[in-house]
Amino acid sequence: MLPPPPSPDGPVSPPNPATLRVGNDVVDLEWVRDRLATPEREARFLRRILSDEEQAAFSALDRQERATRAWVSWAAKEAAFKIHTKLLGAPPVFRPAGYTARLDGPPASDDRFAPLTVAVAWSGPHPDGSGREVPFAARLTGWSGDRFLHLAGVGAPAPLPGILEAQLETGVEWIEDPDLPPSPGTLD
């Protein structure tokens, strides 16, 4: 788990587990592949979910990688939004393009699994109508394969006023049963 940000007042104690909030999203890539089958559908989906910064980065990718990364971005934003909503106590309007997701490293492109780490950022007015800006940042972790991807994060009220942070470590465990065929991916 990432350490909490430094505090000007000295060390920060870990968050109280009672205040933690979880965000989680799983995408079945086999089911969604056809959803971006035409260039028109892909362009519409990307405009709807990507920030301007992400749109610029995605334009240099080939079609297959663009589709995979689009679903990583979607899952990261969905999981981050779930944390964000719980931390604020009232949901902001979910506009995926208002969140920016940055993937550390490529997702898996074959039948193996790859660890994922995605940073998600958002800044906007608090939904209470006060007009005050509330920045939010989440670091989500998970796994991707050619059939699914999974991202999750945990958030707690941040020790620094006005900033919400979220982080989590995830893992995949295989339970091998000698009576079943081997699992489709490996983690070696």
Side-chain angles (χ1 to χ4, degrees):
M1 185 178 272
L2 300 171
S7 167
D9 302 325
V12 177
S13 29
N16 176 345
T19 64
L20 295 177
R21 303 296 180 255
V22 175
N24 177 52
D25 201 60
V26 177
V27 176
D28 178 344
L29 294 171
E30 290 185 332
W31 185 79
V32 298
R33 273 195 208 348
D34 293 338
R35 298 181 60 94
L36 303 182
T38 67
E40 296 80 22
R41 290 174 95 182
E42 178 187 272
R44 182 173 160 237
F45 180 70
L46 295 179
R47 273 193 314 274
R48 199 176 99 223
I49 71 158
L50 299 179
S51 67
D52 292 341
E53 179 183 324
E54 290 172 299
Q55 293 251 3
F58 273 55
S59 66
L61 303 174
D62 68 45
R63 192 155 196 263
Q64 175 66 29
E65 188 171 2
R66 202 170 41 242
T68 301
R69 286 182 179 248
W71 290 112
V72 170
S73 182
W74 175 260
K77 292 175 182 193
E78 282 273 328
F81 180 74
K82 292 169 185 173
I83 297 166
H84 194 190
T85 298
K86 294 169 188 173
L87 290 173
L88 287 175
V93 174
F94 184 44
R95 292 188 182 101
Y99 289 78
T100 298
R102 288 186 194 90
L103 175 63
D104 296 341
S109 58
D110 55 21
D111 66 350
R112 301 177 63 78
F113 289 101
L116 289 174
T117 302
V118 184
V120 179
W122 177 88
S123 185
H126 195 286
D128 67 3
S130 65
R132 64 189 164 105
E133 287 286 307
V134 182
F136 170 78
R139 179 164 296 281
L140 302 147
T141 60
W143 293 92
S144 73
D146 67 332
R147 296 184 196 136
F148 78 94
L149 66 93
H150 175 227
L151 287 165
V154 172
L160 300 176
I163 298 177
L164 302 175
E165 288 205 355
Q167 55 200 20
L168 172 71
E169 290 182 9
T170 62
V172 172
E173 267 184 57
W174 289 108
I175 300 172
E176 296 296 333
D177 183 335
D179 297 328
L180 296 176
S183 56
T186 61
L187 299 175
D188 30 87

